[in-house]
Each structure stands twice: as structure tokens, then as C-alpha cells.
């Protein structure tokens, strides 16, 4: 382990304190990290997906065994469809057959799908056992592995069934990104741009499109931003955590209106941010140059910025009305008046959204 490229970022929430350990090659030290940084011991389940398993499960499993843990391996099909009650149940059944009890723990090895599902299973198994996150996508490294939002999709919508369950430890190894397909790699940068817009405009200059090496510093910055927001508002009660929805109101509407799977989440969020920036310029006095600065960066990152490719405005407004983020019909929209800051506003109604979207077509 190279001391210069490791980070240890604490996350302190009302329901638990944990650390995010970031370092190249940490996957090989999984067992050692869990045994030295936590009190976990004994039997555990590694839950991973069909694409990640052949790449990294062997390394994680043997590291756990060497440290004296007794892991079972459960592999789910890769993809969003695995975030379901059926797959959660099959994992729980495998854990029961494997002899896991209330003193056991679970390891989530994969992207946001594996992390959300595994955290959910851990949260309800024997009314809650600990879990460790080992994120392997950009989205999971910079966003979903931190914060304790876990869950699965219901037939009626995404992420509707879940529990807050914070991980006991997060082991983040940037080397896992080397195997990520190009489109999956790119989409994760939408969440990084989002963090920059709402919290730290200077980060916009530290994002280097296309580069996969030495991403540790950027991952660490993003984890620190996410951690600070989660610490301030773990259960999304004060409005602070809701700022993480910048670009997501319209992003989710695009995913939904186009049919899930058509757009990757990060791609839809990129267009959602293009729209939120325009809304911010028209109705929250964001300077035009700041809007253009972010849109230019999204384009350089290979993310979609041309709103003419999005579904029709009427379909988007319809999809927005069924979004759980719309509290009782009133839209709590996230805008930025100045890059690096964000605010929730109830001033942005459907008419203003429609006007902004039309100005982008
Ligand atoms: N809990 C949260 O706070 C939070 C935040 C953001 C997103 N999410 C959720 O995360 C999910 C999206 O996560 P994602 O983008 O990581 O998707 P994902 O988990 O589906 O991973 C994307 C694809 O990459 C593959 N893969 C993963 N790691 C790989 C690697 N290292 N090399 C090669 N292939 C690899 C996967 O098998 C999958 O096909 C969504 O369900 C979203 O709702 C949750
Ligand atoms: Zn997102």
C-alpha cells in the first residue's frame, strides 16, 4: 500500500460512525481491513453480480479467508432488474442455508445495484446485520456506497422499498475502475459534476475527461462532499440532503418517460442538469457564463447535453407528477444561484420548467 495514495474519510451519523478507506489495491486487503477496522468476525456472505464475480470475487474471497472469515458467495444477475424483492429474498435464503445468523455480516461487491440490494438485505436480515461496501463503479465509489440509503424497486417505481442502513466500513479500490466499460465509466461523472455544482465549483477544474489513472484524489473529494451532506441530514429531513437531487427531478423524468434502460442514469442526470442550469439562469440569476462552463464540461465528458434528444416536454411533466420527490404536488426544485452552492425552491412550477425546457430545444 502506498501511503501517498490512501484516504480514510470518516462518516459520522446519528445511527453510526464508519470510515471510507480509499486506496489502490485495497481489494486484496479486504480481510485485513475488516479485521483491523471493525469488530466483525465469523461467517459472512459476499453478494456480487454476474459481471463483477469473475473479475474480483476470488480476490475478495481469499483475502477474507486468509483473515479467518468464513465467506459464502452469492451472485445475482447484473443489471437494475436485480434490485427486486425476489432477488433480495433469494439472497436471504442463500444466507439462511449458508448458516449466517445475527452475528454474521454481508459484503456488497459491485456497483450501485449490488450495494443498494445488499444493504437492504443486510438491513432486514434478522432485523439488521452489519454490511461492508466494496464499490466497483464510479457511481458507487463517489455516491451510492456512502450514506446508507438502501433498497429495491417496486413495480410502481424505482427505490420505493428500502431502509436506511449505514455500512460498517467502505473499502474503495480505484483500480476496479480499469475494467468498467466506457459508457458505464462516463456516466458516473454526472454525479461528480453534480457534487461540484452544489458544493465546490473549483472541483470542475480537477475533472479530467477520459483519464482512468490516479482517480483516488477525485474519489476522496467526492466521498468527503457526500459524507458531509449525509452527516448534516442523514434522513433527508432538513433539506440539505435533498440538494443531492440537483439535476435529478428532470433526470428521473427522462429515465421514466423514455422507458427504464433507454438512458443510463448518469446520462439522464446530465440532461437533467442542463435543464436545472437553464432553470437556474432564468429564475435564480445564475450567470450565463457559469451555465455554459458546466455544460461544456459535461460535453467534454462525453455526456449528453442536447435537450432535443430528450422525450417531449409534456411527457416529462407527466413523469414528474408521479415522482416521489414531488411533495404533495408542490415541486421542491434544486437550483444554483452561483456554482458551488445550491438551494431548494418552491418558486419553480411546471410552467417555468416547460418554458426552460422549450428554450433548450
Ligand atoms: N444508495 C444511493 O445513495 C444511490 C446513489 C446513486 C445511485 N444509486 C443506485 O445505484 C444504481 C446504479 O449503480 P451503478 O451505476 O453502479 O450500476 P450497476 O451496479 O448496474 O453497474 C453498472 C454495470 O457495470 C458492471 N460492473 C460493475 N463494476 C464493474 C467493474 N469494476 N468492471 C466491469 N463491470 C462492472 C455491472 O455488472 C453493471 O453491468 C441504481 O440502481 C441507483 O438507483 C443509489
Ligand atoms: Zn444519481
Amino acid at each position: 500500500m502506498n501511503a501517498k495514495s490512501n484516504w480514510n474519510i470518516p462518516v459520522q451519523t446519528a445511527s453510526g460512525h464508519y470510515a471510507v478507506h480509499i486506496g489502490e489495491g485495497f481489494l486484496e486487503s479486504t480481510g485485513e481491513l475488516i479485521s483491523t477496522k471493525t469488530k466483525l468476525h465469523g461467517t459472512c456472505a459476499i453478494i456480487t453480480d454476474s459481471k463483477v464475480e469473475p473479475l474480483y470475487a476470488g480476490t475478495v474471497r481469499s483475502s477474507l479467508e486468509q483473515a479467518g472469515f468464513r465467506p459464502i458467495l452469492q451472485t445475482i444477475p447484473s443489471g437494475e432488474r436485480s434490485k427486486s424483492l425476489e432477488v433480495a429474498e433469494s439472497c436471504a435464503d442463500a444466507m439462511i442455508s449458508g448458516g449466517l445468523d445475527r452475528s454474521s455480516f454481508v459484503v456488497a461487491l459491485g456497483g450501485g445495484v449490488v450495494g443498494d440490494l445488499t444493504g437492504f438485505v443486510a438491513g432486514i436480515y434478522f432485523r439488521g446485520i452489519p454490511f461492508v461496501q466494496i464499490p466497483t463503479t464510479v457511481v458507487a465509489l463517489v455516491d451510492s456506497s456512502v450514506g446508507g440509503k438502501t433498497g429495491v424497486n417496486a413495480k410502481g417505481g424505482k427505490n420505493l422499498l428500502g431502509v436506511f442502513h449505514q455500512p460498517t466500513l467502505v473499502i474503495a479500490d480505484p483500480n476496479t475502475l480499469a475494467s468498467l466499460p466506457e459508457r458505464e465509466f462516463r456516466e458516473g461523472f454526472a454525479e461528480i459534476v453534480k457534487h461540484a455544482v452544489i458544493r465546490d465549483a473549483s472541483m470542475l477544474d480537477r475533472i479530467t475527461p477520459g483519464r482512468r489513472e490516479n482517480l483516488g484524489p477525485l474519489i476522496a473529494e467526492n466521498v468527503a462532499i457526500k459524507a458531509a451532506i449525509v452527516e448534516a441530514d442523514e434522513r433527508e429531513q432538513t433539506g440539505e440532503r435533498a440538494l443531492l437531487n440537483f439535476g435529478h427531478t428532470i433526470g428521473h423524468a427522462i429515465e421514466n418517460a423514455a422507458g427504464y434502460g433507454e438512458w443510463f442514469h448518469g446520462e439522464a442526470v446530465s440532461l437533467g442538469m442542463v435543464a436545472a442550469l437553464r432553470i437556474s439562469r432564468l429564475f435564480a440569476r445564475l450567470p450565463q457564463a457559469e451555465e455554459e462552463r458546466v455544460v461544456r464540461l459535461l460535453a467534454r465528458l462525453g455526456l449528453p447535453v442536447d435537450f432535443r434528444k430528450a422525450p417531449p416536454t409534456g411527457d416529462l411533466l407527466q413523469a414528474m407528477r408521479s415522482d416521489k420527490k414531488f411533495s404533495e404536488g408542490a415541486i421542491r426544485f434544486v437550483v444554483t444561484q452561483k456554482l458551488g452552492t445550491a438551494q431548494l425552491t418552491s418558486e419553480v412550477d411546471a410552467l417555468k420548467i416547460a418554458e426552460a425546457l422549450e428554450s433548450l430545444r
Side-chain angles (χ1 to χ4, degrees):
M1 292 180 201
N2 179 348
K4 275 181 250 153
S5 56
N6 299 345
W7 292 262
N8 171 359
I9 299 169
V11 188
Q12 306 196 312
T13 69
S15 54
H17 294 191
Y18 55 98
V20 183
H21 289 273
I22 305 167
E24 295 187 2
F26 271 13
L27 218 58
E28 282 140 51
S29 311
T30 299
E32 187 191 325
L33 283 165
I34 296 177
S35 64
T36 55
K37 309 291 180 193
T38 76
K39 296 193 173 76
L40 301 174
H41 59 89
T43 50
C44 60
I46 304 164
I47 299 182
T48 188
D49 76 23
S50 50
K51 289 195 183 152
V52 177
E53 192 223 71
L55 296 166
Y56 304 116
T59 304
V60 169
R61 182 180 209 157
S62 52
S63 171
L64 284 165
E65 284 168 349
Q66 270 167 30
F69 297 102
R70 295 188 305 280
I72 63 163
L73 180 65
Q74 175 70 4
T75 304
I76 62 169
S78 116
E80 183 71 27
R81 286 166 67 100
S82 280
K83 259 176 67 172
S84 70
L85 280 179
E86 289 78 5
V87 174
E89 187 180 17
S90 70
C91 291
D93 284 340
M95 287 158 59
I96 293 166
S97 313
L100 271 76
D101 61 21
R102 68 183 74 254
S103 70
S104 308
F105 65 99
V106 195
V107 175
L109 173 66
V113 165
V114 165
D116 283 13
L117 173 86
T118 303
F120 177 66
V121 172
I124 59 173
Y125 193 77
F126 283 67
R127 297 196 181 80
I129 62 172
F131 81 115
V132 173
Q133 287 270 23
I134 309 186
T136 65
T137 63
V138 178
V139 171
L141 281 156
V142 304
D143 189 351
S144 62
S145 64
V146 178
K149 277 194 184 177
T150 77
V152 298
N153 303 323
K155 293 201 177 62
K158 216 169 119 69
N159 295 333
L160 294 184
L161 310 171
V163 294
F164 281 101
H165 190 43
Q166 299 289 346
T168 300
L169 181 71
V170 182
I171 301 172
D173 183 346
N175 286 351
T176 58
L177 296 178
S179 54
L180 205 58
E182 188 59 30
R183 194 174 164 202
E184 279 82 350
F185 180 76
R186 280 185 197 164
E187 69 148 344
F189 280 77
E191 307 290 0
I192 295 178
V193 171
K194 175 191 80 179
H195 284 156
V197 169
I198 67 171
R199 268 302 162 98
D200 181 1
S202 72
M203 192 163 75
L204 292 168
D205 295 325
R206 292 189 291 279
I207 301 172
T208 37
R211 197 190 69 193
R212 293 202 186 207
E213 319 79 60
N214 194 26
L215 287 175
L218 190 62
I219 292 168
E221 271 192 71
N222 279 275
V223 168
I225 289 173
K226 176 91 191 250
I229 292 175
V230 169
E231 285 175 349
D233 182 18
E234 183 182 4
R235 301 210 163 205
E236 206 163 322
Q237 286 161 331
T238 68
E240 180 112 9
R241 191 163 182 171
L243 301 179
L244 291 167
N245 292 328
F246 182 77
H248 279 62
T249 304
I250 293 168
H252 282 152
I254 292 171
E255 283 182 279
N256 183 306
Y260 285 107
E262 188 67 24
W263 294 77
F264 278 12
H265 175 70
E267 296 168 347
V269 168
S270 175
L271 273 190
M273 287 194 288
V274 169
L277 289 160
R278 177 58 57 90
I279 288 166
S280 298
R281 165 147 82 90
L282 294 179
F283 307 112
R285 291 193 295 277
L286 178 74
Q288 183 174 349
E290 302 209 347
E291 175 195 18
E292 286 167 0
R293 180 181 176 201
V294 180
V295 174
R296 258 199 320 270
L297 176 60
L298 290 168
R300 281 173 56 223
L301 286 162
L303 287 163
V305 294
D306 182 356
F307 215 85
R308 287 168 299 183
K309 303 215 169 85
T313 301
D315 294 3
L316 296 179
L317 291 174
Q318 184 59 37
M320 264 179 255
R321 286 191 192 98
S322 61
D323 189 315
K324 70 176 178 258
K325 289 189 176 61
F326 274 36
S327 51
E328 323 237 299
I331 304 173
R332 283 166 68 224
F333 204 88
V334 188
V335 290
T336 173
Q337 289 182 332
K338 180 177 183 303
L339 293 182
T341 67
Q343 304 78 35
L344 272 177
T345 174
S346 49
E347 305 282 295
V348 174
D349 56 17
L351 262 173
K352 287 179 174 157
I353 294 178
E355 181 186 334
L357 298 191
E358 286 312 306
S359 80
L360 288 164
R361 297 200 193 247

